[in-house]
Amino acid sequence: MPPKKTQTIRGQSAGFQNLNPAQRQAAEHDQRPVLVLAGAGTGKTNTLVHRLAYLVQQGCPPERICLLTFTRRAAQEMISRAKSLLEKLARDDSKLREQLTGERFAWAGTFHAVAAALLRRYGSAVGLPAGFVIHDRSDSEDLMDLLRDELGLNKRGNRFPRKETCMDIYSRCINHQQHLTYILEEFFPWCLRWEEELKQLFNAYQARKRQMAVVDFDDLLLYWIGLLEHPAVGEKLRSMFDYVLVDEYQDTNPIQAEILYRLCPDGTGLMVVGDDFQAIYSFRGATVKNILEFQDHYPATDVVVLDWNYRSTQAILDAANAVMAEAPLRYHKTLKAVHQTPGERPQLIYCADEMQQVQYVVGEILRLREEHAIPLREQAVLFRAAWQSLPLEAELLRRNIPFHKYGGLKFIETAHVKDVLAFLRLLENPRDEVAGLRILKLIPGIGTATARKLLGILARAEGRVVAWLDTRVPPAAGELWEPFVKLLVDLQEHSRPPAEEISKIADFYLPLLPALYDNPIERARDVEQLQFLASAYKERRAFLADLALDPPSSTQQLVPPDLEEDYLVLSTIHSAKGLEWDVVFIISAVDGCIPSDYAEGNPDQMEEERRLLYVAMTRAKRHLRVCVPVRSWQRGDLSAGYGEWSLTKRSRFLTEAVCECFDEIALDDAWLPGEYPEELTDDEQRDDDFIDRYSSDLWA
């Protein structure tokens, strides 16, 4: 039977009647440490919202609650909903009404955002200047590349790792808190021969960041630990909060766990919410061990399990439960559907190949829209890696079926947006060498060597851009150099909101777009959207910090959705986490895709691949289709211009026990497991010369 709504009795808080017993137990928990195991679709956000409201209702000032989430949007949504709930509760509670006046949740956001806010206030205790600038991942990669060049590492005969790989190695060392040798042996064995050079590069990277007064994402967390280790500041931080709430705890890395251990030494007031079944971000440094070992660190922990699912049918949950039942290390929980109608059984679709998979998916999407009135935006196609959707995208374009894809290049990672932001970053911090090099090299005739000389002039002028007006530059820069410098001088000497600054930058920059990049019209629209985003800010520093800490992944996040627009959703599984649709298609559920080839030989990575499949399946509300192409085209020698078909293997996570929860369907020219064609003997092998023998005489 589905869970009953709780009853409000004397001494308990009103307004919580819609919670089920487990949700209410979590929301009204006392100050002992508590681990809330929240399965997919079990109302985790609603529970956290009521926890926030309950704590304030019980007399805790909002500014003494620290809420740590993994996106700014999640924090904003929770705070907004908690405020609405509190306003309802305050209608009949004059004391609560008085308490809410003028108070706000000042410490709600991502780990990195809260760290940045604390460092703005106390950073001098760990050697940070007040005006430090935050580099996002691509900025950090650019700085790493700059240092590779200065150290001559990119000129060696044997190819040195690219900037992205160097940054990944560095970040893994920091986030995993493991020595470089271990990281190279475990994740980058082909880079072991460069270990000494990487040490040199990383030392230079650390030194240059200090010189430039910039911090990267990893620094924010390390400096937070530094604050907590500081004799005076550490105690001050620990006394700031009565309660600390952490969302998505399964996605934390060792440094984030260490921050919590130091912020809440005995666990008083600490609540972590997460699901070990949805731990899928190890590539960002996250480790499922944090949630699995939480009780070891805090022995007095209470565990509350949320296992009533408000999203999916029981038939879909049975299949998802079966996938995770075979995981060797996990908390035991079984999802149960609140909605008691069993629903359609999930379908396991065997396709002849990837192209038949595409034709089936597109045809089924259109059929569900026409026959069942399920709009495109309530249907999603999920895949392990972004490249796996390329044939599908081509077919959707051919048929003029609108779609949005998530999981590719982020909005602020596009070259033109980074160009505009580099203007702002250099104005905010004239020591930012990466930003300076980027905008100077937009000017014809100015290369890396000239740009570095100009930045040296800027440094000697203590950051005053006016020093460039009297500087000689290559003749090719002549027409643009003076308006470029005058723009920067004007922006440096006259304070404006960031949206107005972007408007002035765009007047100079947009005419350059056709010569710099393709699709200049679309890129110009992105710059307009960036200006729209900046309009919510009064100060440049706050705008740059928020954009670095929690950027929008696409321009769709910048504007309200058009309710009349209908489009299919294509998404990597990682980007789909936290979302839901009526219909979900999972494509290429074969070994090599799910699980990825990269997980072979690594038991921990293989189990994360299992969890990825579980996450994908639990996005579906009513209909789930899992596609298995039974053969795949393997490209051969490109110079010879041929390849060959090879048989695939159904994902190892779709075991016989799991498949019992599906209806298995083989399309034309495909076959079910056990019906694979017999292997040919040597005498029966294919005749590759058949066509040549019957046709060569026709033009001999």
Side-chain angles (χ1 to χ4, degrees):
M1 294 292 291
K4 295 181 179 179
K5 296 179 181 179
T6 56
Q7 300 294 316
T8 299
I9 60 177
R10 189 176 183 85
Q12 289 184 320
S13 54
F16 288 31
Q17 299 94 325
N18 290 329
L19 300 181
N20 66 44
Q23 290 173 331
R24 187 156 186 170
Q25 180 187 355
E28 299 182 347
H29 196 269
D30 55 30
Q31 283 198 310
R32 289 173 297 166
V34 58
L35 167 63
V36 180
L37 294 172
T42 57
K44 165 182 70 72
T45 300
N46 192 40
T47 303
L48 276 169
V49 166
H50 281 77
R51 174 65 170 171
L52 288 167
Y54 174 80
L55 294 177
V56 175
Q57 187 187 40
Q58 297 302 303
C60 180
E63 68 271 14
R64 294 194 60 79
I65 301 173
C66 180
L67 171 65
L68 297 169
T69 65
F70 270 78
T71 66
R72 182 177 54 179
R73 179 176 294 188
Q76 290 172 337
E77 178 190 355
M78 289 184 201
I79 295 304
S80 175
R81 290 173 56 180
K83 286 180 177 177
S84 296
L85 178 57
L86 284 166
E87 288 171 1
K88 292 179 182 177
L89 297 174
R91 291 172 187 168
D92 301 317
D93 188 336
S94 58
K95 184 178 179 181
L96 179 59
R97 266 199 315 274
E98 182 179 342
Q99 181 184 346
L100 293 177
T101 304
E103 295 194 357
R104 63 189 184 92
F105 293 91
W107 299 99
T110 65
F111 270 90
H112 295 89
V114 172
L118 290 170
L119 290 168
R120 295 289 182 202
R121 184 178 294 188
Y122 302 110
S124 60
V126 287
L128 263 185
F132 69 85
V133 171
I134 301 167
H135 271 191
D136 64 18
R137 178 60 178 248
S138 61
D139 295 328
S140 301
E141 290 172 357
D142 288 344
L143 178 56
M144 195 75 77
D145 195 41
L146 177 69
L147 295 168
R148 284 170 74 249
D149 183 56
E150 288 185 7
L151 296 171
L153 298 175
N154 58 352
K155 297 178 182 178
R156 302 293 172 90
N158 294 322
R159 187 172 179 179
F160 191 74
R162 294 168 59 87
K163 63 178 183 179
E164 296 86 356
T165 305
C166 293
M167 194 65 219
D168 198 9
I169 295 170
Y170 170 85
S171 189
R172 283 180 184 262
C173 288
I174 299 296
N175 286 307
H176 287 259
Q177 288 293 280
Q178 294 284 355
H179 192 271
L180 174 61
T181 303
Y182 169 83
I183 295 296
L184 292 177
E185 290 175 346
E186 188 73 14
F187 301 104
F188 305 91
W190 63 92
C191 297
L192 272 166
R193 59 177 171 162
W194 298 108
E195 182 172 358
E196 291 305 314
E197 288 84 354
L198 286 167
K199 290 178 182 177
Q200 181 186 9
L201 176 62
F202 295 164
N203 286 330
Y205 176 70
Q206 292 279 35
R208 187 62 60 88
K209 283 187 297 178
R210 287 191 292 271
Q211 178 185 334
M212 293 167 51
V214 302
V215 297
D216 61 24
F217 279 10
D218 301 324
D219 292 332
L220 291 170
L221 301 182
L222 289 175
Y223 276 122
W224 191 353
I225 289 181
L227 292 179
L228 289 166
E229 288 182 346
H230 191 279
V233 177
E235 283 306 311
K236 188 174 292 187
L237 296 188
R238 279 183 281 275
S239 66
M240 283 177 63
F241 308 117
D242 295 325
Y243 295 92
V244 176
L245 282 58
V246 185
D247 190 19
E248 304 286 10
Y249 188 63
Q250 78 281 350
D251 294 330
T252 53
N253 62 37
I255 298 179
Q256 290 164 329
E258 187 63 30
I259 287 171
L260 292 181
Y261 300 156
R262 294 170 186 256
L263 189 61
C264 308
D266 61 359
T268 300
L270 177 61
M271 169 184 282
V272 299
V273 182
D275 181 8
D276 55 309
F277 288 9
Q278 299 186 73
I280 60 173
Y281 291 113
S282 67
F283 66 93
R284 295 180 183 171
T287 172
V288 70
K289 291 181 180 179
N290 285 350
I291 193 168
L292 294 176
E293 297 174 356
F294 186 79
Q295 290 173 277
D296 296 337
H297 199 86
Y298 296 110
T301 296
D302 285 339
V303 178
V304 179
V305 179
L306 306 184
D307 54 10
W308 282 101
N309 179 284
Y310 292 81
R311 175 187 298 155
S312 306
T313 63
Q314 190 61 53
I316 291 172
L317 295 180
D318 287 343
N321 287 332
V323 168
M324 291 309 299
E326 299 178 4
L329 187 63
R330 62 192 176 91
Y331 286 108
H332 291 274
K333 57 182 176 295
T334 302
L335 294 182
K336 299 163 286 189
V338 171
H339 308 296
Q340 289 297 288
T341 53
E344 171 192 272
R345 278 168 60 87
Q347 295 180 2
L348 194 57
I349 309 297
Y350 295 91
C351 312
D353 51 39
E354 287 98 335
M355 291 313 299
Q356 189 180 54
Q357 175 179 252
V358 166
Q359 296 298 325
Y360 164 75
V361 168
V362 174
E364 187 69 358
I365 286 167
L366 295 177
R367 186 187 72 81
L368 290 167
R369 184 180 67 172
E370 298 303 319
E371 297 181 11
H372 295 268
I374 302 176
L376 294 177
R377 62 178 174 271
E378 280 297 329
Q379 303 188 55
V381 183
L382 306 184
F383 32 86
R384 172 65 179 84
W387 61 266
Q388 292 165 358
S389 69
L390 295 178
L392 176 61
E393 293 174 49
E395 182 65 11
L396 293 171
L397 289 170
R398 190 183 72 81
R399 296 204 193 187
N400 292 319
I401 299 173
F403 66 91
H404 287 173
K405 183 177 180 180
Y406 301 91
L409 192 66
K410 286 188 175 181
F411 171 66
I412 70 160
E413 292 172 355
T414 54
H416 51 292
V417 172
K418 291 198 71 63
D419 288 345
V420 174
L421 291 176
F423 280 85
L424 299 181
R425 286 185 19 235
L426 186 67
L427 291 165
E428 186 64 27
N429 178 14
R431 288 182 286 175
D432 192 333
E433 194 172 350
V434 173
L437 284 171
R438 187 176 193 101
I439 64 171
L440 284 168
K441 290 164 71 173
L442 294 172
I443 308 300
I446 295 183
T448 302
T450 303
R452 283 180 171 161
K453 291 178 183 177
L454 290 166
L455 290 174
I457 294 171
L458 184 64
R460 290 191 292 274
E462 297 182 342
R464 294 190 297 274
V465 187
V466 69
W468 282 347
L469 277 176
D470 299 324
T471 303
R472 293 184 62 183
V473 292
E479 292 185 7
L480 287 176
W481 180 248
E482 186 175 346
F484 169 75
V485 176
K486 286 185 175 179
L487 166 68
L488 291 172
V489 170
D490 176 53
L491 293 173
Q492 192 174 60
E493 294 182 351
H494 300 90
S495 178
R496 298 180 178 88
E500 291 184 25
E501 291 183 328
I502 292 175
S503 177
K504 285 188 168 292
I505 293 166
D507 290 341
F508 171 82
Y509 176 74
L510 294 184
L512 305 182
L513 273 177
L516 292 170
Y517 307 113
D518 58 0
N519 302 319
I521 296 176
E522 293 180 12
R523 293 176 189 269
R525 290 185 184 131
D526 283 349
V527 175
E528 291 176 6
Q529 293 296 335
L530 185 67
Q531 184 177 349
F532 170 80
L533 187 63
S535 64
Y537 294 81
K538 295 180 180 179
E539 296 181 353
R540 183 199 307 138
R541 179 183 295 177
F543 172 62
L544 290 173
D546 282 356
L547 208 57
L549 291 168
D550 192 19
S553 58
S554 69
T555 53
Q556 273 78 35
Q557 289 189 13
L558 305 183
V559 294
D562 183 352
L563 297 181
E564 298 300 320
E565 185 181 7
D566 196 19
Y567 54 84
L568 178 69
V569 174
L570 309 183
S571 177
T572 61
I573 299 172
H574 285 102
S575 295
K577 188 169 177 292
L579 304 176
E580 60 183 37
W581 296 273
D582 274 354
V583 184
V584 168
F585 297 85
I586 303 172
I587 61 173
S588 299
V590 297
D591 274 7
C593 293
I594 308 177
S596 167
D597 280 334
Y598 294 112
E600 280 298 342
N602 188 319
D604 291 340
Q605 289 296 311
M606 192 59 69
E607 283 308 305
E608 181 159 321
E609 296 290 315
R610 179 195 303 278
R611 297 192 291 268
L612 269 170
L613 179 59
Y614 171 85
V615 167
M617 293 170 66
T618 53
R619 302 309 95 198
K621 293 193 283 189
R622 292 192 292 154
H623 306 277
L624 175 62
R625 310 279 194 270
V626 180
C627 297
V628 178
V630 298
R631 57 181 183 167
S632 177
W633 179 255
Q634 304 296 321
R635 289 183 176 84
D637 184 349
L638 293 180
S639 63
Y642 66 83
E644 63 180 1
W645 290 103
S646 64
L647 298 181
T648 64
K649 182 181 178 183
R650 185 182 67 198
S651 173
R652 69 192 66 186
F653 307 130
L654 297 172
T655 62
E656 292 301 322
V658 173
C659 288
E660 289 179 2
C661 301
F662 285 84
D663 287 335
E664 297 185 80
I665 301 170
L667 304 181
D668 292 342
D669 299 322
W671 48 81
L672 296 173
E675 299 177 358
Y676 287 107
E678 296 180 7
E679 291 291 331
L680 299 177
T681 66
D682 289 340
D683 294 336
E684 297 171 325
Q685 288 298 323
R686 69 186 184 193
D687 185 353
D688 289 334
D689 298 327
F690 176 84
I691 295 296
D692 287 343
R693 290 205 316 273
Y694 275 80
S695 60
S696 58
D697 288 343
L698 298 178
W699 47 79

